Amino acid sequence: MAKKIGPLDIYNYLPKTNCGECGEKTCMAFASQLIERAVKLEDCPALKQPNFVRSYNNLKEMLAPSVKEVIVGVGDKSVKIGGEEIVFRHELTYFNKTAIALDVHDEMNDEELLARVRYVNDFCFKRIGEELTLDLVAIRSTSKDPDRFAQCVSKVLCESKKPLILCSWSPSVLEAGLKVVGHERPMIYAATKDTWEEVGRLAVKYNCPVVAFADGDMAELKSVVKALESLGIEDIVLDPGSHVEGKYLANTFGNFVASRRAAIWNKDIGYPLLGVPAIAWLSGEGAFKEAIIAAIMIDKYADLIILHTPEIWALLPVITLRQNIYTDPRKPVAVEAGLRKFGNPDENSPVLMTTNFALTYYTVASDIESAGVECYLLVIDTEGLGVEASVAGGKLDAFKANEAIKNSGIEKEVKHRKIIIPGFSSRISGDLEIQSGWVVFVGPRDSSGIKEFIEKKWVGLA
Amino acid sequence: MTNALDLTELIKMLGKVEEIELENIDVIAGELGLILPTISAIKRESVKKAEYRDLNFEIPLANFTGEVLEVELGATKANGGTRENVIKVGGERTMPFYNFEALNPNEPVIAFDVFDTKIHLAGPVRKHFEDVLEDPAEWAKRCVDKYGADMVTIHLISTDPVIKDTSAREAAKTVENVLQAVKVPIMIGGSGNPEKDPEVLEKAAEAAAGERCVINSASMSLDYKRIAKACVDYGHVVLSWTSLDINDQKTLNKYLMDAGIKKEDMIMDPTTAALGYGLEYSFSIMERIKLAGLKGDKDLQMPIASGTTNAWGAREAWMENPEWGDREKRGPLWEAITALTLCLAGSDLFMMMNPTAMQLFRDIIKCLCGFKETESLDIKNWIGMR
């Protein structure tokens, strides 16, 4: 296993002056932050001086991620994949979320083709303060005809706001596509044992990232990668073959795990991984299977996946899973407890209650915001547990809720004494009324019902 | 540089680098001739030829020194029970489906949820059980006979004083009925009321004496010693439930062992947060627990259970919303992906609810176990798919 780089290894190359210009108190603190990727080498002014060139270069190499970071596309139309450093997310964090491509092919009629491209452009779901999107368009050459492929690429290029992947086993077809879009750094799919030289030279000529493919054979995959490297190519992506059935699927899963371990433990073929859940359609199975395969690949270790289905019921769980897995585990689970105001609430506005588990809080907050309800929200310190768990675990009881009411200052903000508590905490309502002297209303179990509850019930109550 | 530098050394160095910068150097030599062609010749030699060579790939293997315990659920006649089969859970030697490293002995187990009173269920779940919602024994039968669940969990939620306040004695009868109705191993759940659960679970454990059920659950928030004693007295397995905290899990496991539970009579439930609602916390806690066990931490070597049903708490699973597509497909997929993700993190036993979700999940774990024979597909054809 490769030795893990520690702050001390980094510190040795830093100026050791503790000048503080980087924003950290000491060079040692800066070294720790570098490992966490919370700061950049360039944040240290001394390292930019000529006498530190060697140190800078050494540090650059030491800090280079085990899985190379590869950029597909240019400028606004680009996506970063790879850059990973660990095999389990709790060890640090995963950095670049799995990019998702939707496919089109060169024998689609124009209407369908452009509709799919626009679908990718416009796809956007807002969840917990983040916009979840699709990231690339993969163009497959089903015609195997270079001219037809070039025409298709050109149509997609005009319409797409996302970077492209050009997919063909034929170097001449790929070249036809590259002539159209080569200047925008599409990803080339794929170089094999037989085509590595021709496809590799295209990657060099157009300076594009290229996928190395070998069907289920890791030794062959490594050989293709090394052959591409021998042409001077640096931006490579690995496709160990995506099988979706039976024991072949087990083998594919093993190859993904082995690739990531090799990159991180042995510094061996340290490149991002590509998976193709779309292959589920080849075996006659549809979006269910494709979504399940996508989930496996997001969990373990794909940096880019190509999907076929535009069905939202299948995509929603997949992009949500991606958001979950790529959430930084170093971020706190809890938000600050206390009284929050939404809009400009007055002395008659409703008072709601929730817990300080970050996900619970953000879900409730976004529901209140999207409902346009002006109100107070009392956030109880449940030590970062959600409503159900904190009621069950005794972290949210009448005593605690009453304390929060008394200490929050809410009694000075409103004239009334009525509070809406989460549906899942109905158990505490009786005791809370006795202890606090407030009238307690059991609200909806899901905060999506807040708008309706306020409109229909609160108005009558108030 | 203070040392005198041998010129041959210098030329060697020049061959390795593209650029050198000489600072503060006095050249002491009668004559210094750097013949450039020599240098570029060295350089040219150092550039690799473009070529394909057959290489070996070494799969990096972890060296796990520990093993997850194998826990048996259910007891047949031979062992003092009335179950028709015994289910083995856990026993891992490596992370799930890392078949290249070791083959784990047992497939993940699926237990379906049954409730002792009619409760609010999401539409895509309810439609499968609509006519049996008031008959737990029939409900359990449907889970096993029609949908093929490995186990069922009877949740005695009606015992909660704020629901029906059903007596412990009456609840125990429900357990007996379920044991009559199905012959698979079962799990017995309380209502979540910390005051009443110990009594309810004691009576239920007594009624099911010798059946080796899973008693769901012992936690820090109730009198876990009573639960532990009931498991020991009547021959059951305890579910050690904590809330997303690996240290709490370790502590509770120790307390339960101090209370007389044998380590092979315990399963851990570190809490399942749904897809979209904190799944990553459960994912990482389970990975950490499983790795700790495989690395030899004896307090964390029990199999892991997941209350996957929590997936249905996510509004994206149950809510009708045209912008989210067909709920009848979205909901089951939500549950299946929650199960699958936690399975990859190390969970062994899954409490589930929706038959389609179970089917999707079970099909994929059969594949991942590596035993499912199937024709090989020429996957290169995906590019040509029309």
Side-chain angles (χ1 to χ4, degrees):
Chain A
M1 216 183 283
K3 190 177 167 283
K4 232 181 159 54
I5 292 191
L8 206 62
D9 304 306
I10 304 291
Y11 179 74
N12 285 333
Y13 291 93
L14 294 176
K16 301 174 185 141
T17 52
N18 299 334
C19 72
E21 281 186 55
C22 61
E24 300 296 324
K25 284 208 175 89
T26 62
C27 288
M28 195 53 140
F30 184 66
S32 305
Q33 293 294 84
L34 277 173
I35 289 179
E36 301 255 315
R37 288 198 223 169
V39 296
K40 292 196 292 284
L41 273 182
E42 290 72 20
D43 294 338
C44 170
L47 278 179
K48 289 187 221 161
Q49 301 306 314
N51 51 333
F52 273 100
V53 167
R54 190 177 293 175
S55 293
Y56 176 86
N57 289 337
N58 280 330
L59 285 169
K60 198 94 193 160
E61 202 183 313
M62 286 165 76
L63 292 165
S66 302
V67 176
K68 189 169 197 306
E69 196 166 75
V70 171
I71 295 169
V72 189
V74 286
D76 291 345
K77 274 169 82 169
S78 70
V79 61
K80 233 189 263 175
I81 59 172
E84 304 300 341
E85 200 54 73
I86 49 165
V87 287
F88 295 108
R89 66 184 281 285
H90 62 259
E91 295 170 328
L92 185 64
T93 183
Y94 293 152
F95 287 98
N96 294 313
K97 63 177 194 265
T98 311
I100 300 178
L102 200 70
D103 72 344
V104 296
H105 65 75
D106 64 0
E107 290 177 300
M108 269 180 180
N109 63 51
D110 283 6
E111 204 181 328
E112 194 188 352
L113 179 73
L114 297 180
R116 277 178 85 92
V117 174
R118 286 181 195 130
Y119 182 78
V120 175
N121 284 345
D122 300 339
F123 187 100
C124 182
F125 270 89
K126 284 202 180 123
R127 282 196 96 252
I128 329 171
E130 199 186 332
E131 291 187 347
L132 311 183
T133 56
L134 300 177
D135 311 293
L136 307 100
V137 175
I139 312 174
R140 299 182 283 118
S141 176
T142 51
S143 71
K144 298 178 184 159
D145 171 9
D147 292 339
R148 182 146 198 169
F149 188 62
Q151 280 169 22
C152 179
V153 171
S154 137
K155 284 174 204 158
V156 174
L157 181 62
C158 284
E159 197 65 32
S160 179
K161 293 177 186 155
K162 308 281 179 173
L164 308 183
I165 308 175
L166 307 182
C167 308
S168 172
W169 302 114
S170 152
S172 57
V173 170
L174 288 172
E175 180 159 29
L178 284 165
K179 277 183 185 153
V180 179
V181 71
H183 58 287
E184 289 206 3
R185 221 179 134 72
M187 176 176 281
I188 305 172
Y189 184 100
T192 66
K193 188 181 178 175
D194 302 321
T195 63
W196 66 272
E197 185 150 22
E198 283 170 278
V199 175
R201 293 206 189 279
L202 290 172
V204 173
K205 181 172 169 191
Y206 291 96
N207 187 27
C208 293
V210 60
V211 179
F213 171 85
D215 184 2
D217 184 336
M218 288 303 297
E220 184 181 315
L221 184 63
K222 180 173 171 177
S223 306
V224 175
V225 166
K226 293 294 166 187
L228 292 171
E229 283 178 353
S230 75
L231 288 167
I233 299 172
E234 292 179 352
D235 289 334
I236 300 170
V237 172
L238 312 176
D239 179 3
S242 298
H243 284 268
V244 298
E245 290 295 341
K247 59 182 184 184
Y248 300 100
L249 167 60
N251 191 44
T252 293
F253 177 75
N255 287 338
F256 270 71
V257 172
S259 300
R260 188 48 44 93
R261 269 195 185 174
I264 287 163
W265 292 2
N266 292 355
K267 305 279 173 203
D268 190 15
I269 50 169
Y271 295 104
L273 279 157
L274 177 146
V276 189
I279 288 171
W281 294 84
L282 198 59
S283 69
E285 291 187 90
F288 265 131
K289 186 63 167 279
E290 183 180 23
I292 292 277
I293 299 291
I296 297 176
M297 289 176 168
I298 287 170
D299 288 332
K300 301 250 159 160
Y301 291 112
D303 300 288
L304 170 63
I305 53 175
I306 300 176
L307 298 180
H308 178 67
T309 186
E311 289 284 357
I312 188 61
W313 61 264
L315 291 176
L316 190 60
V318 169
I319 56 171
T320 305
L321 176 66
R322 175 180 68 170
Q323 182 185 33
N324 281 170
I325 296 296
Y326 281 82
T327 296
D328 189 339
R330 298 170 296 181
K331 276 196 301 197
V333 187
V335 299
E336 207 178 317
L339 189 66
R340 310 288 169 95
K341 293 180 188 176
F342 290 82
N344 294 305
D346 60 26
E347 55 189 24
N348 297 314
S349 299
V351 179
L352 289 79
M353 189 184 96
T354 191
T355 80
N356 76 330
F357 180 38
L359 281 150
T360 306
Y361 171 76
Y362 286 120
T363 307
V364 173
S366 94
D367 282 329
I368 292 174
E369 277 161 8
S370 66
V373 176
E374 303 207 318
C375 65
Y376 298 91
L377 179 63
L378 187 57
V379 183
I380 314 272
D381 180 4
T382 56
E383 297 170 34
L385 289 181
V387 178
E388 254 185 306
S390 57
V391 170
K395 307 287 187 204
L396 175 56
D397 54 20
F399 179 77
K400 220 164 177 176
N402 179 46
E403 261 195 337
I405 289 173
K406 304 297 173 201
N407 298 335
S408 64
I410 183 66
E411 295 189 324
K412 285 189 203 122
E413 299 277 350
V414 292
K415 279 198 306 194
H416 64 79
R417 292 290 179 265
K418 300 187 187 85
I419 188 164
I420 303 168
I421 67 171
F424 279 113
S425 63
S426 59
R427 184 177 285 163
I428 72 168
S429 63
D431 283 349
L432 183 57
E433 286 203 332
I434 296 166
Q435 290 187 27
S436 67
W438 282 53
V439 183
V440 175
F441 298 105
V442 177
R445 290 155 81 96
D446 187 290
S447 60
S448 60
I450 286 176
K451 185 180 163 75
E452 198 189 336
F453 189 91
I454 302 260
E455 279 168 2
K456 294 209 175 133
K457 303 227 171 108
W458 178 265
V459 177
L461 300 168
Chain B
M1 245 174 261
T2 51
N3 295 338
L5 191 65
D6 187 327
L7 275 183
T8 27
E9 278 291 347
L10 179 62
I11 290 172
K12 257 194 209 161
M13 277 171 62
L14 288 173
K16 285 185 198 150
V17 295
E18 287 179 355
E19 190 185 294
I20 55 163
E21 206 178 287
L22 302 176
E23 266 181 75
N24 303 324
I25 281 192
D26 295 321
V27 179
I28 306 163
E31 189 183 354
L32 178 65
L34 290 180
I35 305 155
L36 290 173
T38 318
I39 294 168
S40 61
I42 296 167
K43 217 182 153 184
R44 215 180 298 133
E45 222 176 51
S46 71
V47 169
K48 277 186 291 178
K49 230 171 61 193
E51 60 169 359
Y52 181 97
R53 288 187 299 133
D54 282 317
L55 302 168
N56 286 326
F57 175 76
E58 189 193 334
I59 298 181
L61 299 180
N63 189 16
F64 292 126
T65 51
E67 268 179 28
V68 175
L69 294 158
E70 193 170 72
V71 174
E72 290 190 5
L73 308 178
T76 58
K77 217 170 183 178
N79 295 309
T82 62
R83 305 299 88 200
E84 273 174 7
N85 65 313
V86 169
I87 290 174
K88 288 181 182 173
V89 61
E92 291 99 321
R93 281 106 163 115
T94 181
M95 290 301 280
F97 316 120
Y98 285 23
N99 305 344
F100 58 83
E101 196 154 73
L103 284 179
N104 289 328
N106 299 304
E107 280 181 35
V109 174
I110 301 168
F112 256 31
D113 282 338
V114 173
F115 296 85
D116 70 342
T117 184
K118 193 170 180 172
I119 63 154
H120 174 79
L121 291 174
V125 177
R126 191 173 60 238
K127 68 173 189 183
H128 297 280
F129 304 105
E130 194 88 69
D131 55 324
V132 292
L133 291 179
E134 287 179 85
D135 187 343
E138 282 305 309
W139 189 343
K141 248 176 132 71
R142 171 140 331 151
C143 293
V144 177
D145 298 347
K146 185 166 179 194
Y147 298 123
D150 300 317
M151 296 177 67
V152 293
T153 307
I154 174 68
H155 294 278
L156 303 169
I157 55 163
S158 77
T159 58
D160 193 322
V162 303
I163 300 182
K164 275 189 182 166
D165 206 10
T166 306
S167 71
R169 193 166 300 277
E170 227 174 303
K173 270 194 203 127
T174 304
V175 171
E176 281 169 10
N177 292 341
V178 170
L179 282 166
Q180 294 273 326
V182 296
K183 291 294 155 199
V184 295
I186 73 161
M187 192 175 323
I188 301 169
S191 69
N193 182 309
E195 278 78 43
K196 190 149 175 208
D197 268 357
E199 185 200 347
V200 170
L201 293 175
E202 263 169 8
K203 284 276 179 291
E206 187 181 352
E211 297 282 10
R212 223 176 143 69
C213 305
V214 181
I215 304 298
N216 175 1
S217 60
S219 72
M220 298 276 202
S221 64
L222 48 64
D223 188 351
Y224 64 83
K225 284 183 187 163
R226 279 177 73 183
I227 311 280
K229 186 168 185 305
C231 289
V232 174
D233 288 351
Y234 302 111
H236 300 298
V237 171
V238 71
L239 191 73
S240 168
W241 176 51
T242 54
S243 294
L244 298 173
D245 187 317
I246 190 169
N247 295 320
D248 284 355
Q249 188 68 59
K250 209 172 145 121
T251 306
L252 181 59
N253 292 354
K254 279 192 198 167
Y255 286 175
L256 290 170
M257 286 190 276
D258 289 346
I261 300 276
K262 281 188 278 181
K263 59 187 190 321
E264 57 274 21
D265 294 340
M266 202 191 301
I267 292 178
M268 301 181 276
D269 180 352
T271 296
T272 289
L275 172 59
Y277 294 87
L279 179 65
E280 69 274 22
Y281 299 115
S282 297
F283 181 79
S284 283
I285 293 273
M286 287 184 188
E287 279 199 332
R288 287 171 65 194
I289 290 177
K290 187 80 9 170
L291 285 167
L294 291 170
K295 286 176 183 167
D297 186 336
K298 298 217 178 306
D299 298 326
L300 292 170
Q301 282 178 331
M302 302 79 184
I304 300 173
S306 155
T308 312
T309 314
N310 289 346
W312 290 97
R315 67 178 64 157
E316 290 89 339
W318 58 263
M319 200 183 276
E320 301 236 42
N321 181 343
E323 281 176 33
W324 293 348
D326 187 353
R327 172 178 82 156
E328 298 301 324
K329 291 177 173 151
R330 180 182 5 109
L333 189 56
W334 208 268
E335 187 182 6
I337 288 182
T338 302
L340 177 59
T341 296
L342 296 182
C343 183
L344 295 178
S347 182
D348 301 280
L349 172 59
F350 297 84
M351 291 172 249
M352 299 183 74
M353 262 184 152
N354 179 281
T356 309
M358 181 180 80
Q359 212 44 56
L360 286 168
F361 176 52
R362 182 174 271 165
D363 177 62
I364 213 75
I365 55 185
K366 291 237 179 273
C367 294
L368 286 167
C369 283
F371 300 125
K372 195 176 166 190
E373 289 297 333
T374 163
E375 276 176 45
S376 172
L377 209 60
D378 186 358
I379 55 169
K380 286 182 83 178
N381 290 336
W382 82 273
I383 291 185
M385 256 184 341
R386 284 189 183 87

